[in-house]
Amino acid sequence: MHLKIITHEKVVFDEDVDEIYTRGTDGEFGILPNHVPIMSALDIGVTKVVQNGQSSYFTTMGGVFQFKDNEAVILTPTAEAGKDIDVARAKEALERAQARLAEKNAELDIKRSEAAVARALARLKATMSD
């Protein structure tokens, strides 16, 4: 089956794969060849791709997953390969977001800070998996 991971700026991944595992808003799910057609809203998380027994990991920051006729497409605002992520920068972003949440400031946008924490954790998870 074929998978494309696409952002507004570029095609992050465009290859044949054996398995796909990702995180929808209703939980994690996996796709194997000849799966029934599916469309799902994606949550912030990590997408695992298996090719010839080797796993690769990509951050997917929300978006949509569609699968039909052994063609999978992930449309997401932001995605990056785990091997390309700057771990130090991701850890710093996590620390900043966690510090903002710990401030308990009434003017602080809690949802934005929680999303920043989720994005940083997804980036770190993708690097640890590769």
Side-chain angles (χ1 to χ4, degrees), residues 92-110:
E92 289 170 9
L94 176 61
E95 290 168 9
R96 281 192 310 272
Q98 288 174 328
R100 281 194 309 268
L101 278 175
E103 288 173 10
K104 296 188 180 7
N105 183 340
E107 295 179 27
L108 176 70
D109 185 349
I110 300 286

Side-chain angles (χ1 to χ4, degrees), residues 70-116:
N70 283 325
E71 295 284 331
V73 176
I74 293 176
L75 300 173
T76 181
T78 307
E80 55 191 321
K83 62 184 173 57
D84 297 336
I85 293 172
D86 181 339
V87 175
R89 190 169 156 236
K91 285 181 180 177
E92 289 170 9
L94 176 61
E95 290 168 9
R96 281 192 310 272
Q98 288 174 328
R100 281 194 309 268
L101 278 175
E103 288 173 10
K104 296 188 180 7
N105 183 340
E107 295 179 27
L108 176 70
D109 185 349
I110 300 286
K111 291 287 184 195
R112 234 174 96 197
S113 294
E114 288 173 343

Side-chain angles (χ1 to χ4, degrees), residues 8-66:
H8 299 294
E9 290 94 30
K10 63 183 177 179
V11 175
V12 176
F13 184 84
D14 186 5
E15 296 182 26
D16 288 336
V17 300
D18 302 316
E19 304 169 36
I20 304 165
Y21 301 93
T22 195
R23 182 181 179 90
T25 54
D26 292 330
E28 294 184 5
F29 62 93
I31 301 291
L32 298 173
N34 302 313
H35 194 286
V36 297
I38 183 175
M39 183 173 234
S40 175
L42 293 179
D43 202 352
I44 294 171
V46 176
T47 296
K48 175 182 174 182
V49 175
V50 180
Q51 295 173 289
N52 303 315
Q54 298 294 316
S55 298
S56 300
Y57 300 85
F58 299 86
T59 60
T60 43
M61 304 300 179
V64 176
F65 176 90
Q66 180 179 331

